[in-house]
Amino acid sequence: MKISHEVPLFLLEDSQRFNDYDYALVHLLDSDEDYANYFIKARQKDRYIILDNSLHELGEAYHDSGLLHWIEKLTPNEFIIPDVWQDCNTSIVNARKWSQIRLPEGVTKVAVVQAQTIREAITCYQTYKDLGYEKIAFSYGAAYYLEHSSHPNKNLAKALGRLEVVSRLYNARVINPTDKVHLLGCQVPQEFSWYKDMPFIETIDTSNPIMATIDYLSYSPTGLTEKPKANMNDHFYMSSEDMDFDLLDHNLNSFRKLLK
């Protein structure tokens, strides 16, 4: 699995030290010149870039004209097409539309499974494959994940629930070993260690170790039992003086150890 952690602005350059690829949030490309320039230079240096539609940060996917502008300007390796939170039907409608939109050569379109039941997740995943999508993502935190775990800790329950959903789709041969899957975010970081025997999990993105550091949460050898309250919307412009770099290094290294 290739890993990328979204970081505050001051950490962007340093993030190449611990990120396997760069993960761009499209609304920040439009709103912050320094952020945009970082990704333009990263592309010039042939860094691998996944461009996200910013649904998680904005509550809805970014507008099409802005997405198309940055696809043309950056030519990212992957682009996460617009999806709608926990809305299978509308996400499929969007996927059908974007399957017909021609993007620059070399840009892989990624569709996100959105659902309220595992049956909808199966429909969503299979429809994306039928539409020709070569890579498909699963979001974290969906409410229906709780139907697949009875753990009393809701953070662990949602993490276990996503694992169960992905596992059931794999065992039912909806997901094939040669498929390409991206995992969007997490409730707890140790979830990613549970996918070691699933070769189709290709990439993950999460700001968890960064946000945990901002909240002064230290990873244990087994991860965390709570999700940090900090988020990128509130801390994108934080000062380096407010970051505990020893704790940051500890959390980043601990995250990597979880995946070994």
Side-chain angles (χ1 to χ4, degrees), residues 56 85-86 138-146 153-163 183-192 194-195 205-209 211-212 215 217 219 222-230 255 258:
H56 177 69
W85 178 244
Q86 296 188 133
F138 286 85
S139 59
Y140 83 93
Y144 79 100
Y145 292 152
L146 292 174
N153 181 310
K154 298 304 181 184
N155 291 304
L156 294 174
K158 283 189 174 181
L160 289 163
R162 178 165 66 171
L163 173 69
L183 297 178
L184 290 156
C186 68
Q187 292 289 137
V188 291
Q190 60 266 34
E191 178 194 352
F192 297 120
W194 306 333
Y195 295 92
D205 79 275
T206 176
S207 62
N208 189 276
M211 297 303 116
D215 279 355
L217 297 175
Y219 277 32
T222 56
L224 296 173
T225 58
E226 61 183 302
K227 180 174 172 57
K229 293 181 175 60
F255 186 97
L258 290 170

Side-chain angles (χ1 to χ4, degrees), residues 139-240:
S139 59
Y140 83 93
Y144 79 100
Y145 292 152
L146 292 174
E147 299 171 8
H148 301 279
S149 173
S150 57
H151 199 289
N153 181 310
K154 298 304 181 184
N155 291 304
L156 294 174
K158 283 189 174 181
L160 289 163
R162 178 165 66 171
L163 173 69
E164 179 64 15
V165 168
V166 172
S167 299
R168 288 179 64 182
L169 267 62
Y170 180 51
N171 291 331
R173 299 185 181 178
V174 177
I175 299 176
N176 295 318
T178 56
D179 286 357
K180 296 180 179 180
V181 169
H182 177 86
L183 297 178
L184 290 156
C186 68
Q187 292 289 137
V188 291
Q190 60 266 34
E191 178 194 352
F192 297 120
S193 69
W194 306 333
Y195 295 92
K196 291 177 182 177
D197 296 322
M198 300 185 186
F200 50 86
I201 304 294
E202 189 175 66
T203 48
I204 62 176
D205 79 275
T206 176
S207 62
N208 189 276
I210 316 299
M211 297 303 116
T213 301
I214 292 172
D215 279 355
Y216 300 101
L217 297 175
S218 178
Y219 277 32
S220 75
T222 56
L224 296 173
T225 58
E226 61 183 302
K227 180 174 172 57
K229 293 181 175 60
N231 63 73
M232 194 60 68
N233 285 340
D234 295 335
H235 296 280
F236 181 68
Y237 289 110
M238 70 177 290
S239 168
S240 61

Side-chain angles (χ1 to χ4, degrees), residues 82-100:
D83 55 316
V84 180
W85 178 244
Q86 296 188 133
D87 188 331
C88 174
N89 291 335
T90 308
S91 295
I92 287 175
V93 169
N94 286 352
R96 187 169 286 114
K97 180 184 79 170
W98 278 88
S99 70
Q100 301 300 314

Side-chain angles (χ1 to χ4, degrees), residues 51 53 61-69 71 79-83 90-104 107 109-111 131 133:
L51 177 62
N53 66 48
Y62 207 57
H63 54 85
D64 289 358
S65 60
L67 291 168
L68 289 167
H69 168 77
I71 291 167
F79 162 59
I80 299 178
I81 68 162
D83 55 316
T90 308
S91 295
I92 287 175
V93 169
N94 286 352
R96 187 169 286 114
K97 180 184 79 170
W98 278 88
S99 70
Q100 301 300 314
I101 296 175
R102 181 170 294 184
L103 301 184
V107 179
K109 299 173 187 176
V110 182
L131 288 170
Y133 284 89

Side-chain angles (χ1 to χ4, degrees), residues 29-76:
L29 293 171
D30 255 355
S31 64
D32 191 280
E33 185 176 359
D34 290 336
Y35 187 84
N37 285 337
Y38 168 82
F39 282 95
I40 291 169
K41 292 176 182 177
R43 198 70 190 100
Q44 291 170 350
K45 293 192 292 185
D46 205 30
R47 291 275 296 176
Y48 198 94
I49 294 176
I50 295 180
L51 177 62
D52 184 80
N53 66 48
S54 294
L55 166 68
H56 177 69
E57 289 72 24
L58 300 178
E60 61 182 10
Y62 207 57
H63 54 85
D64 289 358
S65 60
L67 291 168
L68 289 167
H69 168 77
W70 285 105
I71 291 167
E72 290 291 335
K73 191 156 188 174
L74 281 184
T75 316

